[in-house]
Amino acid sequence: MPKQFAVIGLGRFGSSVARTLTELGHEVLAIDSDEDRIQEALPYVTHAVQADATDEEALKALGIRNFDVVVVAIGADIQASILATLILKELGVPHIVVKAQNHRHGQVLYKIGADEVVFPERDMGVRVARHLVSPNILDYIELADDYSIAEVVASDNMDGKTLRELDIRAKFGCNVLAIKSGKRINIAPRADDVIRSGDILVVVGRNDDLRRLQDKA
């Protein structure tokens, strides 16, 4: 079912979130204090409004408490980010996602009621660094301190072998969740499925085990 989202702050991160949510079929209200950014957002969101996110009455007037999720994507102004989050919490917004500048900022956001805190620059930096060190790793999603999901490109030594022959679970302690072959995605791979060089294996496991797999892949 389509959800109603509000995105506060239309910098690079906020505008990207708003655009993608719209493309996925959801209703999106974009909010920013900059009129130029509002005009730029109008073609790709449901509604775009110029407002001060730290003005409680303005947020009330927009019916912000009725949205399923509010994303606070305010950039460098940490004080405004914290105040907006606090107001949203007090207004009873069901789910609040906030962009943080650093670890300390994130700690404060959680303490005042943010449901999720994201670190776009940090997370992208981690992904780029991992890809530079292991070029066969396309993406890396951290599930917990010790566990992650990684997209591993199958090497020539895997070509023509089945999952049973590769025995990734026994050798590395990792599970293959899916296999991408071109545009086709196999979300329930079987032991007899054959891997081809260049296929993408979506693998979950402990970080140390994933690193061992990366070295051998």
Side-chain angles (χ1 to χ4, degrees):
M1 291 290 291
K3 290 184 176 182
Q4 290 187 315
F5 292 87
V7 178
I8 299 174
L10 296 176
R12 283 173 295 183
F13 174 70
S15 59
S16 177
V17 170
R19 185 188 296 271
T20 304
L21 288 171
T22 304
E23 290 171 353
L24 292 172
H26 300 284
E27 292 185 27
V28 179
L29 168 66
I31 302 170
D32 200 285
S33 57
D34 188 313
E35 177 62 27
D36 290 338
R37 286 182 173 178
I38 292 300
Q39 292 302 319
E40 290 172 6
L42 281 172
Y44 63 81
V45 296
T46 314
H47 304 287
V49 177
Q50 183 181 12
D52 179 359
T54 63
D55 183 338
E56 184 174 350
E57 294 305 316
L59 293 180
K60 278 184 182 177
L62 292 172
I64 202 75
R65 73 182 68 188
N66 298 320
F67 286 81
D68 297 300
V69 181
V70 178
V71 180
V72 180
I74 296 172
D77 191 340
I78 291 178
Q79 182 176 333
S81 165
I82 292 171
L83 184 53
T85 302
L86 191 58
I87 291 171
L88 294 171
K89 189 67 179 179
E90 290 179 346
L91 290 177
V93 172
H95 197 83
I96 305 167
V97 181
V98 193
K99 172 187 173 182
Q101 295 296 320
N102 51 54
H103 177 67
R104 184 67 68 187
H105 182 197
Q107 285 182 314
V108 173
L109 291 169
Y110 275 126
K111 283 185 180 297
I112 63 174
D115 297 289
E116 290 182 56
V117 176
V118 295
F119 301 83
E121 289 86 359
R122 184 202 66 182
D123 293 345
M124 183 53 68
V126 169
R127 289 185 180 186
V128 170
R130 289 189 185 278
H131 180 66
L132 291 173
V133 172
S134 304
N136 60 328
I137 299 298
L138 297 184
D139 204 353
Y140 206 94
I141 301 172
E142 193 172 278
L143 299 176
D145 288 341
D146 294 330
Y147 290 88
S148 298
I149 295 176
E151 290 189 342
V152 181
V153 181
S155 62
D156 291 341
N157 2 335
M158 293 183 173
D159 189 50
K161 295 180 181 178
T162 65
L163 286 177
R164 190 193 311 277
E165 291 171 322
L166 291 171
D167 209 5
I168 290 173
R169 181 184 297 178
K171 291 178 181 177
F172 303 100
C174 301
N175 289 311
V176 178
L177 303 177
I179 303 170
K180 298 180 183 179
S181 301
K183 294 184 178 180
R184 189 175 65 87
I185 301 178
N186 179 358
I187 60 170
R190 296 169 299 179
D192 293 327
D193 286 341
V194 177
I195 305 300
R196 297 298 178 190
S197 178
D199 284 353
I200 298 169
L201 309 181
V202 182
V203 186
V204 62
R206 294 177 63 91
N207 294 336
D208 288 343
D209 294 332
L210 287 170
R211 278 191 284 271
R212 290 194 303 115
L213 173 62
Q214 294 161 25
D215 293 338
K216 299 291 184 181

